[in-house]
Amino acid sequence: MKPFLSLENLNKQFGQFAALNDISMTIEKGEFICFLGPSGCGKTTLLRMIAGLESCEQGQIWQNGANITHLPPEKRDFGIVFQSYALFPNLTVFENIAIGLRQQRASKVAIEQQVNHWLETIGLPEIGDKFPGQLSGGQQQRVALARALILSPGLLLLDEPLSALDAKVRIHLRETIRTLQKQLGITTIMVTHDQEEAMAMADRIVVMNHGVVEQIGTPQAIYQQPASRFVAGFIGVMNFLDLAGGKKGGKKGQPHIIGVRPEDIHLTASAAGSADSLQIPVRIERTEFQGPLLRVECQLIDCSSTLRADIPIHQVTTANLTPGTETCVWIEHRRMQHFRQEEAV
Ligand SMILES: Nc1ncnc2c1ncn2[C@@H]1O[C@H](COP(=O)(O)OP(=O)(O)OP(=O)(O)O)[C@@H](O)[C@H]1O
Ligand SMILES: [Mg+2]
């Protein structure tokens, strides 16, 4: 079967500036995809190209078997929610949600029934008569979501819909969006620069940097097998060790960098299994109690690098972790990621 959405070799220039560089990917029907990357990497530009809000001079976009590359937005099949609430302030919530149906000249009864259904679905059945200014940010984003979904689009596009909300509301609403998305089975692309949000919500994450796709994969694959040093450093915490070529634990020959997660650094040989591990002498710099784990910052004795180790709290035994103590850490070879030196930034 053909993918639901297919982006083929998309490029975007703003004058001399290349905002997107040869972007290709396929997205299956019903998938929840996150575009994730630092500010300015091109996430919004790519989303807007899919919506037809940004022109596409190079490459092709296919949706549901049709070439939509040059279709105007109103001829495309999507609903969109932006970061800022973008509701019409002078219209009631009911009328904001009803706009699409009114444009389609739906009957009064159908509009009444549909809008009320969506007010129920977003968990705000009583607010139809209110104006956007009378709602909280989270409530406004729910209304924006209902407005985007009421015409049953094939594709839902979300540009940082949660980033203006406070942490608690954000986490609650991300569950709402995810549940609703699965219920409806609607193919969804959400732009975010929050890696935790992407990990929690996405079936697959597209990691972008400087207008290129660095990696596409499930949250687990991206965390466990980062394709580049950039991805390794951007997602979660990663220690980077600069080991000279040929040194124990390194691939022989060319110099390269080893990445290792804090949870894969052990303070006792027994925890790691000594033969398959790299042993590194360190000096304890400081420790930080974090509830389920103890975060230990150490300084490598042989060089200037520092390491961050996360030790499960129940494994912190009588080991002397007083700052200044010299000890060893162990890293299993199979937990090390190898990156080429020239990728270093
Ligand atoms: N209309 C435009 N004209 C010129 N440059 C633009 C235009 N739109 C975007 N850009 C540039 O293209 C790059 C990508 O912008 P984009 O908005 O896609 O980034 P983003 O990944 O969404 O970032 P953020 O996380 O800050 O929203 C930026 O450097 C931006 O300045
Ligand atoms: Mg953006």
Side-chain angles (χ1 to χ4, degrees):
M1 232 178 55
K2 282 209 168 141
F4 179 74
L5 190 72
S6 187
L7 311 183
E8 299 175 359
N9 310 105
L10 299 183
N11 286 280
K12 185 73 195 176
Q13 290 282 139
F14 292 112
Q16 292 300 304
F17 178 72
L20 295 175
N21 193 349
D22 200 26
I23 306 277
S24 293
M25 73 188 72
T26 56
I27 294 172
E28 301 301 324
K29 193 164 172 50
E31 268 196 301
F32 194 116
I33 299 289
C34 279
F35 292 170
L36 174 68
S39 182
C41 73
K43 307 176 295 290
T44 295
T45 303
L46 186 56
L47 196 80
R48 287 171 56 84
M49 277 173 92
I50 296 168
L53 298 166
E54 206 71 73
S55 65
C56 177
E57 286 81 32
Q58 276 183 62
Q60 293 192 335
I61 306 173
W62 292 76
Q63 185 177 337
N64 215 2
N67 185 339
I68 62 163
T69 315
H70 302 296
L71 278 188
E74 62 275 14
K75 296 245 169 75
R76 300 192 189 197
D77 178 24
F78 69 91
I80 193 161
V81 177
F82 300 100
Q83 173 180 354
S84 57
Y85 314 123
L87 298 174
F88 296 104
N90 54 334
L91 295 182
T92 62
V93 165
F94 186 99
E95 287 306 324
N96 263 286
I97 299 176
I99 271 180
L101 289 171
R102 291 223 189 279
Q103 281 166 353
Q104 289 191 345
R105 302 188 189 289
S107 71
K108 201 167 173 242
V109 179
I111 291 176
E112 186 83 22
Q113 188 255 325
Q114 274 294 307
V115 174
N116 285 331
H117 163 76
W118 277 102
L119 283 168
E120 290 275 347
T121 305
I122 58 168
L124 299 169
E126 321 245 280
I127 63 156
D129 294 334
K130 291 199 171 174
F131 287 88
Q134 297 171 295
L135 306 182
S136 71
Q139 288 173 329
Q140 290 188 55
Q141 281 307 61
R142 284 167 190 269
V143 173
L145 196 61
R147 187 176 65 175
L149 288 170
I150 197 164
L151 296 180
S152 307
L155 180 62
L156 178 62
L157 303 175
L158 308 167
D159 191 355
E160 309 240 15
L162 306 176
S163 61
L165 307 173
D166 69 51
K168 219 168 156 189
V169 178
R170 203 159 62 214
I171 287 172
H172 186 61
L173 199 48
R174 83 182 183 203
E175 285 165 9
T176 309
I177 292 176
R178 185 67 180 143
T179 308
L180 190 57
Q181 187 268 337
K182 281 286 160 239
Q183 254 169 30
L184 299 171
I186 184 171
T187 313
T188 300
I189 303 175
M190 184 174 90
V191 164
T192 178
H193 60 255
D194 181 339
Q195 45 138 332
E196 203 188 294
E197 194 169 284
M199 300 271 243
M201 295 178 80
D203 294 316
R204 286 189 303 149
I205 298 174
V206 176
V207 185
M208 297 173 64
N209 188 27
H210 292 307
V212 300
V213 170
E214 293 265 342
Q215 187 170 5
I216 304 179
T218 62
Q220 199 175 342
I222 286 194
Y223 186 81
Q224 292 177 344
Q225 294 115 32
S228 65
R229 191 191 182 287
F230 171 80
V231 176
F234 190 71
I235 309 283
V237 176
M238 185 70 97
N239 294 292
F240 290 106
L241 294 172
D242 197 348
L243 298 187
K247 209 174 178 181
K248 195 185 172 194
K251 278 182 190 159
K252 290 197 181 65
Q254 83 251 46
H256 66 287
I257 288 177
I258 286 178
V260 59
R261 298 283 184 201
E263 64 269 31
D264 293 325
I265 298 179
H266 304 283
L267 278 171
T268 59
S270 59
S274 50
D276 299 329
S277 304
L278 175 66
Q279 182 181 351
I280 306 176
V282 298
R283 185 180 311 106
I284 306 292
E285 291 283 295
R286 62 192 192 95
T287 60
E288 197 176 279
F289 176 69
Q290 299 233 326
L293 54 86
L294 189 72
R295 177 149 292 169
V296 183
E297 309 265 355
C298 350
Q299 170 89 44
L300 269 63
I301 289 173
D302 295 346
C303 66
S304 63
S305 303
T306 54
L307 273 183
R308 188 158 130 185
D310 284 348
I311 312 297
I313 208 74
H314 298 304
Q315 286 175 21
V316 179
T317 47
T318 50
N320 183 359
L321 298 175
T322 318
T325 306
E326 293 195 356
T327 179
C328 276
V329 295
W330 281 262
I331 305 166
E332 288 180 88
H333 287 299
R334 64 193 177 109
R335 297 289 176 222
M336 296 175 191
Q337 316 269 346
H338 297 268
F339 303 101
R340 288 196 315 276
Q341 185 91 31
E342 58 267 26
E343 285 183 51
V345 279

